[in-house]
Amino acid sequence: MAGVDDLSPVAQDYLKVIWSAREWGAPAITTKGLAERMGTSKANVSDAMRRLQAQGLLEYQPYRPVTLTPEGERLALAMVRRHRLLETFLARVLGYGWEDVHEDAERLEHAVSDRMLERIDAILGHPLVDPHGDPIPSADGRWQGQSGTVRLDEAAPGRYEVVRVDDSDPARLADLRRVGLVPGARVDIDRGDPVRVVRDGRQLDVDAVTCGQIRVRRAG
């Protein structure tokens, strides 16, 4: 059975991006979407998709969304595991801010060995989520979704715990860290335009876009 190290770094990135695109409930990504995410042309993406399809890792038709095969999903999850464990290591052990971990984790994930990764996992105490609250797939390829969570902008009024924050914008992450809107934080939510978010008695300035990129769960 092939491992992620049998793939080129570019192929590793494509599989990870294709899988991650649907993680927040969005539709399967298209060639155009992949070109935008990867910073390349649609022609280059199409060539890469045909190669990965020939390897049995995805299903691809021009102008249609791209879907992973079971084997492609297994390898994509292995890359997601690498990335999120490395982000957690950088934050917990090396003291990175959560807005700074992504770029270096992207570099390291293509070079880290499975042996080193499992050692990192052990040192960290086998974490279930990364600094942004994203679930970390297990070593045997299982991914545990976060049941009972909703987007902050869809939450009914009440008290909630922040579970997960989209990590695509480092500047936004830095702002959220400054106001304490991080996984584990308790907040009171009221409807409005945008939603009214209060933490420790203080209303936070959270715009509508950001509210759509935070997942919360009812606090007990």
Side-chain angles (χ1 to χ4, degrees):
M1 186 179 294
V4 290
D5 290 330
D6 298 313
L7 301 173
S8 70
V10 172
Q12 292 172 350
D13 283 341
Y14 273 119
L15 294 181
K16 186 176 60 147
V17 168
I18 292 167
W19 184 87
S20 298
R22 299 196 65 185
E23 190 177 9
W24 282 68
I29 198 166
T30 62
T31 301
K32 179 182 178 182
L34 281 169
E36 292 171 351
R37 289 282 298 272
M38 303 290 284
T40 189
S41 68
K42 288 190 287 186
N44 285 342
V45 171
S46 296
D47 288 343
M49 294 303 97
R50 282 189 281 267
R51 289 194 297 272
L52 291 171
Q53 181 171 247
Q55 295 175 259
L57 301 180
L58 53 79
E59 297 293 337
Y60 166 70
Q61 296 180 33
Y63 313 110
R64 300 291 301 275
V66 180
T67 58
L68 297 173
T69 64
E71 177 67 0
E73 183 165 330
R74 180 183 70 83
L75 294 173
L77 284 168
M79 287 306 301
V80 171
R81 173 176 169 78
R82 283 188 178 194
H83 183 84
R84 293 179 180 173
L85 275 174
L86 286 165
E87 285 194 332
T88 307
F89 179 78
L90 291 171
R92 287 195 193 175
V93 178
L94 300 186
Y96 279 56
W98 74 337
E99 70 272 24
D100 299 322
V101 295
H102 180 77
E103 187 175 343
D104 282 356
E106 284 280 310
R107 293 190 179 99
L108 293 169
E109 69 189 31
H110 300 300
V112 67
S113 67
D114 289 338
R115 180 173 63 180
M116 179 178 288
L117 193 72
E118 295 317 306
R119 181 60 179 157
I120 288 171
D121 187 30
I123 289 172
L124 294 171
H126 308 290
L128 299 179
V129 296
D130 73 6
H132 314 103
D134 295 324
I136 299 173
S138 65
D140 60 0
R142 288 177 289 112
W143 179 78
Q144 198 73 24
Q146 294 163 320
S147 61
T149 67
V150 295
R151 283 182 8 184
L152 191 152
D153 60 349
E154 297 175 343
R159 188 158 179 79
Y160 290 83
E161 177 183 349
V162 176
V163 175
R164 189 177 185 188
V165 179
D166 181 272
D167 65 353
S168 60
D169 186 338
R172 182 181 295 121
L173 286 173
D175 289 341
L176 292 176
R177 180 163 60 87
R178 279 192 288 272
V179 299
L181 202 54
V182 299
R186 298 295 180 96
V187 296
D188 294 297
I189 296 174
D190 200 359
R191 304 306 301 174
D193 187 19
V195 173
R196 183 170 178 264
V197 183
V198 176
R199 179 174 182 269
D200 296 335
R202 181 167 63 93
Q203 183 170 342
L204 305 181
D205 183 16
V206 187
D207 61 48
V209 172
T210 301
C211 285
Q213 297 180 333
I214 297 173
R215 295 195 75 85
V216 295
R217 180 187 291 125
R218 280 279 190 182

